[in-house]
Amino acid sequence: MIKTHDIQQLEKQYAKVFEIDANLDRLVRRIELLSYINPLNIEKEKQRFFASKFTAAPRFKYPKLKFNPYKLHRLFFSQRLERIEDDLIRKFYQDVIYFYANMIQCIETIGTGKDFHYNSLRVYGTPTEKDVQNARFILHFADEPPNPEMEKVYSTKEAQAYFEAFAQAYDFPLKVKFSHNMAAEAMVSNSERALLIKKNIRFSKNQLLTLGNHEIGVHLVTTHNGLQQPLRIFSNGFPKNVETQEGLAVFSEYMGGALTLKRLKELAYRVLAADSLIKGYTFADTFDLIHGQYKLNRNEAFGITLRVHRGGGFTKDRLYLSGLRKIYRKFQKGESLDLLLSGKVAIEDEPIINYFMEQGLAHPITHRTASFAKNQNTNTTLDFILNNLK
């Protein structure tokens, strides 16, 4: 535990860093992309698309902005970074500002087609040829036999009770909220520090275990670890942290014995859908690839297509598989994942996190992902696939 006088000395030494970090904290809280990217009329447009025999392009509506993008841009770029004397820390916060400025442009252009698509590419990038090859490799494997644990029999209230019990392994509170307008069945809202559950759907036993390990075991763990760091940027998110955070979350599914070949194929379909988007294919074309060519059922194919085409073209989903591959490799090498759980950070950030630790600007983590303690995966096919991803 750091003594009070050490904290006071730290805050005095790095006064300008703490000042800018606090300023950015107030600004960043207002721009959570996932609260704007999910359409408000998913079910209506889904039924219209199906009724048209998969030809009519969905006309999605999105939430209205709760901030002025121009004013927010101006506030970000008004930060006096030249006051930070440490070159490494100044460069880091410069990257942070550029990243969040891109994020504002993403949110501002949701639903505008190409403008949003190009802004999204700057933040989330495109699938590489290796990513596409890995996806196709996964899809070559035969489907698993039917399993009672995959049957969707649990209500949202039963899911809430399950997640509340699951969270008892962690020393932080679990706040649960329900929502109609979500592409996912459950997700963490970082700004609200809450687990959001989609209303009026059913969950399978495996799905509950998967979401518990993914959302609570990693996303809420990194949220609460980040909140305990001296710098707020750990909880708000370092630039381009999504690949690592989603990789950790899927790896938690694997270590917790929840990951299935079906789930891994879902991540593979997302990569192919993102690749389809990049190549200029329409919503109907991408749906045809997943449903018509790969024979995934129409509801799941619609969900994957929606996730990639929402907003005008959203490539975030291509990062789950590549993130899993990177985290799995670190695990195979026996490397610690603790630094990556210190907040919303990326593998590429490990040098600057270590530097923050040396300066007293970051602390060892309080919360650890429970599934990382022991590998509970028993599926040898998954091991073979993960060991052979390029």
Side-chain angles (χ1 to χ4, degrees):
M1 184 68 73
I2 297 177
K3 296 177 182 177
T4 303
H5 70 270
D6 291 335
I7 295 174
Q8 291 171 344
Q9 180 62 36
L10 192 67
E11 290 177 344
K12 184 178 179 182
Q13 182 182 352
Y14 289 102
K16 298 306 177 186
V17 175
F18 280 103
E19 181 184 330
I20 287 170
D21 184 74
N23 290 344
L24 294 179
D25 178 48
R26 287 189 287 274
L27 299 178
V28 168
R29 287 181 188 182
R30 297 154 67 182
I31 54 172
E32 188 163 22
L33 176 59
L34 292 181
S35 64
Y36 292 105
I37 191 66
N38 290 320
L40 298 170
N41 57 338
I42 293 173
E43 287 305 316
K44 181 183 175 183
E45 288 305 296
K46 178 179 176 180
Q47 295 312 317
R48 192 174 71 85
F49 180 71
F50 287 169
S52 75
K53 297 183 179 177
F54 317 141
T55 58
R59 297 190 292 262
F60 293 123
K61 296 177 182 177
Y62 299 92
K64 291 183 179 179
L65 297 191
K66 295 177 181 177
F67 61 89
N68 182 307
Y70 176 77
K71 286 183 178 178
L72 201 53
H73 261 289
R74 192 173 63 192
L75 290 170
F76 268 101
F77 286 107
S78 68
Q79 301 305 311
R80 302 284 296 276
L81 294 186
E82 67 276 6
R83 293 180 176 181
I84 298 178
E85 295 178 2
D86 187 299
D87 291 342
L88 276 177
I89 298 177
R90 183 174 63 252
K91 172 64 168 61
F92 169 76
Y93 276 99
Q94 182 177 305
D95 291 342
V96 166
I97 287 173
Y98 284 137
F99 173 74
Y100 280 106
N102 281 340
M103 192 68 78
I104 294 168
Q105 287 180 291
C106 269
I107 296 171
E108 184 181 9
T109 53
I110 286 172
T112 61
K114 290 293 183 186
D115 285 348
F116 173 78
H117 178 51
Y118 294 135
N119 287 326
S120 165
L121 292 181
R122 284 209 295 272
V123 177
Y124 299 107
T126 64
T128 65
E129 187 54 38
K130 273 186 183 178
D131 293 337
V132 174
Q133 288 172 3
N134 284 334
R136 288 176 179 154
F137 169 65
I138 291 167
L139 294 174
H140 277 130
F141 288 83
D143 289 339
E144 295 156 322
N147 184 337
E149 293 195 354
M150 306 299 285
E151 293 177 17
K152 297 192 174 187
V153 295
Y154 297 97
S155 68
T156 50
K157 281 295 182 184
E158 288 171 319
Q160 178 182 8
Y162 177 90
F163 295 136
E164 286 171 347
F166 190 95
Q168 287 178 5
Y170 296 94
D171 189 23
F172 52 71
L174 177 67
K175 182 164 65 172
V176 174
K177 291 189 172 185
F178 296 94
S179 173
H180 281 291
N181 304 312
M182 291 167 54
E185 286 85 357
M187 59 177 274
V188 165
S189 168
N190 194 41
S191 60
E192 296 184 71
R193 303 168 199 171
L195 177 66
L196 307 181
I197 301 176
K198 192 171 185 177
K199 274 187 175 180
N200 302 324
I201 62 167
R202 293 269 162 179
F203 296 84
S204 70
K205 185 176 180 180
N206 173 265
Q207 197 175 15
L208 293 176
L209 181 62
T210 298
L211 290 167
N213 280 292
H214 186 109
E215 302 295 344
I216 299 171
V218 170
H219 290 325
L220 278 178
V221 162
T222 53
T223 292
H224 286 281
N225 277 336
L227 289 167
Q228 293 185 349
Q229 297 293 348
L231 298 172
R232 297 296 88 197
I233 193 61
F234 276 86
S235 60
N236 290 320
F238 285 31
K240 298 187 176 180
N241 68 77
V242 169
E243 182 180 45
T244 298
Q245 293 302 302
E246 298 301 352
L248 285 166
V250 180
F251 181 66
S252 176
E253 299 173 27
Y254 165 79
M255 291 293 282
L259 189 63
T260 61
L261 180 57
K262 177 179 169 61
R263 167 68 164 157
L264 207 52
K265 284 188 173 186
E266 178 189 326
L267 304 186
Y269 286 129
R270 291 180 182 182
V271 172
L272 296 188
D275 185 56
S276 164
L277 170 77
I278 297 303
K279 290 174 177 172
Y281 292 122
T282 64
F283 187 101
D285 292 333
T286 301
F287 178 86
D288 182 61
L289 170 70
I290 306 299
H291 176 62
Q293 293 183 44
Y294 279 99
K295 307 302 180 188
L296 188 65
N297 74 69
R298 69 177 195 169
N299 285 310
E300 291 181 22
F302 182 89
I304 286 166
T305 306
L306 159 69
R307 288 177 65 101
V308 170
H309 280 269
R310 56 186 162 163
F314 191 47
T315 54
K316 171 180 177 277
D317 273 7
R318 66 109 189 167
L319 294 167
Y320 287 67
L321 189 58
S322 59
L324 172 62
R325 179 178 56 83
K326 289 182 178 181
I327 298 298
Y328 186 77
R329 284 185 174 178
K330 281 183 73 70
F331 167 70
Q332 290 292 82
K333 293 175 185 175
E335 297 177 11
S336 172
L337 300 175
D338 281 6
L339 278 187
L340 303 181
L341 295 173
S342 61
K344 307 296 181 182
V345 304
I347 287 177
E348 294 76 14
D349 297 320
E350 287 186 320
I352 190 70
I353 300 170
N354 277 319
Y355 185 72
F356 282 142
M357 291 270 189
E358 291 166 8
Q359 308 309 308
L361 293 170
H363 302 157
I365 61 173
T366 301
H367 309 289
R368 283 180 170 79
T369 300
S371 65
F372 291 176
K374 183 184 178 184
N375 188 347
Q376 297 182 63
N377 174 63
T378 56
N379 189 328
T380 54
T381 301
L382 294 183
D383 290 331
F384 179 82
I385 290 172
L386 295 178
N387 284 321
N388 286 279
L389 294 179
K390 296 178 180 179

